[in-house]
Amino acid sequence: MTEHVDVVVIGAGFVGLYAVHRLRDRMGLSVLGFDTASDVGGTWYWNQYPGARCDIESVHYSYSFSEELQQEWVWSERYAAQPEILAYLNHVADRFDLRRSFRFNTPVESMTWDETASVWQVHTPTGTVTARFIVSGAGNVSIPKQPEFPGLADFAGEVYATHRWPQQGVDLSGKRVGVIGTGASGIQLIAAIAPEVEHLTVFQRTANFATPLRNRPTDLEEWEKIRANYPQIRVASRNNFLGVVTDPPEPSAKLADPEQRRARYEHYDAIGGFHLLMSSYADLLLDEESNETISEFIRSQIRARVTNPAVAELLSPRDHPYCTKRPPMETGYYETFNRPNVTLVDVKTNPIEAVTPRGLRTGGEEYEFDVLILAMGFDAFTGALLAMNPTGRDGVTLAEKWNEGPRTLLGIASEGFPNLFMITGPQSAVALYNNPLAIEDHVEFASDAIGYVLERGLSTIEPSVQAESDWVRMINEMADMTLFPRAESWYMGANIPGKPRGLLTFVGGAPAYRAICAEIVENDYRGFSVA
Ligand code: N01
């Protein structure tokens, strides 16, 4: 007989752990979780590459749903490194006894809506489970981008990827290493491994606006103050655009006095992390002239740190405004290029032609190395959902429905796919919203909607066609009001050849998104069809 549960939860990262706890322990539902990995952690399980670290401050990058949990955990650094975040998620799994609800090493291969029984059939290699609801936490940066160039299979050395770094680590000492990719992952990895390797060749296509993280250890005294104030801190972060706590910005960079503007940039650059973006000026993502002032400030910082002017220029972004690609945060990244064992190769002018048995060819020249590391990014937002092959009403697949780009309401649900909740889905508030808090909001919306359906003895909930069209139109209009369409970024789906281009995230900020969700709930799930 087919196994049946109330809810299937996909993924055992930040989403899945909280979803299981809330649905199982607080709502009393039967819940079964699946994860491809052998244990909990999600993105922090897979991305164990050297230098992996969160660039949202530890005080904010954690769950807020349990006061006991926030009281008992102390982070050791202002910005936690991957092992500590993975340890935290293991602690959460132990504390709330969550592992027993998961089947690990079990990918969801497909899911099909059964109209007659009003259930989802969830297919895995070990069999089929039916569920009334699905909460997907499959991740928004979890399916890797495939290389466009040929020859990878012919490479005689070792190949690694940041998104699937071996758990036992890799000994790179004394080796010649090539790295493709200078996004957030590549930038962390490059700075971390440069001192260890014999030679590092960095293949850069687009220079990025990386700014200092300014990490430091934290002590118990500091955490005692934080723990005493957690409730207030969480209120403040939930009222902040990015879901953290930052000073309010001045209105306009272009209208500011140039000297005061530079001083303001220097001040927030010295504080580090996202403070530079969030606290300097409010129009940086809206006005090109304003954006150019901070773009040029960051370029001047690069010139001051990189000794070779030609290398500094190559590292200076000129083809997109600051933050229209996700800005990476760095520790010693630019100084890495002052090292004698590091070479920067421009693969924008001369795109990578092929990986060869001994290395890589670009511009007719071959670069040799023993180890190749790919840090080439992800098929973001839609990749993980489409990889699970959902088929909704009338046999329509999600891939067919989204063939010209995703269509959702709130980025959480899509018409024709009833009872399927996509946490951190396309067009949701996540890429510009501190993930743990965004995830809590989304999981709470989904579980409350499930409760609403069940309490009324109903069967299904899904967006109305009209409400979904309105949401998609609003996301596109928001994109046009900002500078985001000016970059070939994963925010825009533009990093994957052939992927429909369009803004994939809600850019109105956390408070606006939360207010819209609350308004929908208060009005009996306005915009959703409940039957
Ligand atoms: O991926 P990316 P990522 N030839 O897409 C290059 C989160 N994250 O894994 O820009 C040559 O940013 C590509 O070049 P281009 C965070 O949200 C967070 O680094 O397309 N190069 C780019 O340089 C982040 O944004 C943290 O021209 C090619 C790189 O590969 C997201 O994950 C840490 C190429 C991909 O960069 C993704 O970051 C890490 C080609 N054919 C990640 N194809 C923190 O919290 C691609 N590239 C700190």
Side-chain angles (χ1 to χ4, degrees):
M1 222 177 86
T2 307
E3 188 179 0
H4 178 78
V5 290
D6 294 322
V7 191
V8 156
V9 167
I10 299 165
F14 267 98
V15 173
L17 294 180
Y18 182 41
V20 166
H21 171 61
R22 191 170 167 94
L23 293 159
R24 186 193 71 183
D25 302 338
R26 299 200 181 179
M27 294 172 66
L29 300 176
S30 59
V31 180
L32 177 61
F34 293 107
D35 200 307
T36 310
S38 65
D39 207 341
V40 301
T43 199
W44 299 104
Y45 170 96
W46 295 110
N47 289 267
Q48 304 206 7
Y49 61 85
R53 178 182 297 285
C54 185
D55 56 16
I56 295 284
E57 286 148 307
S58 313
V59 54
H60 304 302
Y61 195 85
S62 58
Y63 290 120
S64 70
F65 70 82
S66 162
E67 180 57 17
E68 295 79 21
L69 174 63
Q70 37 186 43
Q71 288 303 324
E72 70 201 13
W73 189 265
V74 170
W75 299 94
S76 67
E77 294 179 274
R78 183 182 179 202
Y79 296 95
Q82 173 273 331
E84 194 170 20
I85 303 172
L86 188 59
Y88 170 76
L89 291 172
N90 273 276
H91 169 73
V92 172
D94 292 338
R95 191 187 194 291
F96 297 101
D97 190 18
L98 300 172
R99 275 193 189 81
R100 70 181 162 88
S101 290
F102 280 97
R103 274 181 210 156
F104 295 103
N105 303 305
T106 312
V108 170
E109 294 177 324
S110 63
M111 47 174 92
T112 309
W113 175 250
D114 176 343
E115 186 73 46
T116 317
S118 272
V119 292
W120 280 97
Q121 296 170 348
V122 180
H123 308 289
T124 75
T126 55
T128 297
V129 174
T130 58
R132 293 190 63 181
F133 302 92
I134 296 178
V135 175
S136 169
N140 64 355
V141 281
S142 50
I143 297 290
K145 178 193 161 164
Q146 297 305 320
E148 299 96 332
F149 37 80
L152 210 50
D154 303 330
F155 182 59
E158 302 156 62
V159 181
Y160 300 101
T162 46
H163 68 272
R164 285 286 182 281
W165 199 259
Q167 312 257 325
Q168 67 280 15
V170 180
D171 183 8
L172 297 171
S173 55
K175 294 193 174 145
R176 298 168 305 161
V177 177
V179 176
I180 304 174
T182 53
S185 306
I187 279 174
Q188 290 183 328
L189 170 104
I190 288 162
I193 67 172
E196 186 191 337
V197 303
E198 183 194 309
H199 193 89
L200 179 61
T201 310
V202 176
F203 298 94
Q204 173 192 273
R205 189 164 68 180
T206 306
N208 242 316
F209 288 103
T211 57
L213 185 65
R214 314 253 184 237
N215 190 27
R216 59 172 172 75
T218 49
D219 59 27
L220 207 51
E221 203 182 317
E222 191 171 337
W223 283 102
E224 264 156 24
K225 279 193 208 129
I226 289 170
R227 287 192 291 188
N229 288 302
Y230 251 128
Q232 297 89 313
I233 291 171
R234 298 300 193 179
V235 169
S237 57
R238 284 208 146 90
N239 285 324
N240 175 282
F241 186 94
L242 201 69
V244 297
V245 177
T246 49
D247 293 342
E250 293 280 315
S252 173
K254 71 178 177 192
L255 299 179
D257 167 77
E259 267 179 41
Q260 284 175 4
R261 185 172 61 213
R262 181 156 183 103
R264 193 168 180 87
Y265 287 148
E266 279 172 354
H267 175 75
Y268 287 107
D269 181 86
I271 294 175
F274 277 96
H275 293 269
L276 178 64
L277 168 70
M278 293 307 299
S279 298
S280 47
Y281 295 97
D283 63 349
L284 295 177
L285 295 174
L286 305 173
D287 186 285
E288 203 147 352
E289 206 181 323
S290 285
N291 189 292
E292 178 53 25
T293 65
I294 193 162
S295 296
E296 183 46 32
F297 169 77
I298 298 169
R299 289 185 210 113
S300 73
Q301 302 293 88
I302 297 170
R303 288 192 292 272
R305 291 170 62 185
V306 177
T307 43
N308 180 328
V311 175
E313 181 52 29
L314 197 51
L315 288 165
S316 298
R318 300 271 175 198
D319 56 5
H320 65 281
Y322 167 62
C323 197
T324 52
K325 280 171 108 80
R326 202 279 202 181
M329 308 294 158
E330 54 79 36
T331 303
Y333 176 66
Y334 290 110
E335 286 76 9
T336 300
F337 295 92
N338 298 333
R339 298 178 63 92
N341 70 333
V342 176
T343 309
L344 181 65
V345 177
D346 170 17
V347 293
K348 175 152 258 169
T349 317
N350 298 306
I352 295 169
E353 290 157 21
V355 173
T356 65
R358 286 183 306 186
L360 187 155
R361 200 174 58 245
T362 162
E365 195 173 334
E366 189 175 30
Y367 295 85
E368 293 186 12
F369 35 80
D370 312 305
V371 179
L372 173 60
I373 300 177
L374 307 174
M376 293 177 54
F378 298 90
D379 183 356
F381 290 105
T382 53
L385 289 161
L386 295 176
M388 296 186 294
N389 300 305
T391 303
R393 287 194 200 279
D394 304 321
V396 176
T397 66
L398 195 62
E400 285 163 349
K401 177 169 176 192
W402 288 2
N403 122 66
E404 287 176 15
R407 301 186 65 74
T408 74
L409 177 54
L410 296 174
I412 291 184
S414 191
E415 181 271 329
F417 295 81
N419 298 1
L420 169 61
F421 297 95
M422 305 172 293
I423 310 302
T424 73
Q427 302 168 340
S428 72
V430 67
L432 293 176
Y433 183 7
N434 171 24
N435 271 11
L437 297 194
I439 283 166
E440 286 183 339
D441 287 356
H442 292 148
V443 168
E444 284 162 23
F445 184 91
S447 50
D448 289 353
I450 290 171
Y452 182 88
V453 171
L454 294 177
E455 279 157 23
R456 282 160 184 73
L458 299 167
S459 315
T460 59
I461 182 164
E462 67 191 291
S464 71
V465 174
Q466 184 60 50
E468 185 170 288
S469 295
D470 291 346
W471 186 259
V472 175
R473 193 177 57 247
M474 189 196 70
I475 294 284
N476 292 335
E477 284 170 3
M478 279 177 131
D480 293 340
M481 287 162 60
T482 68
L483 301 176
F484 285 106
R486 290 282 319 278
E488 302 302 305
S489 66
W490 61 262
Y491 289 162
M492 295 295 300
N495 65 326
I496 302 293
K499 187 166 174 168
R501 198 172 201 284
L503 188 62
L504 288 168
T505 188
F506 176 91
V507 293
Y513 184 80
R514 288 169 53 75
I516 295 169
C517 290
E519 205 259 346
I520 286 175
V521 174
E522 276 158 25
N523 288 282
D524 272 335
Y525 291 87
R526 182 159 67 205
F528 284 85
S529 310
V530 189

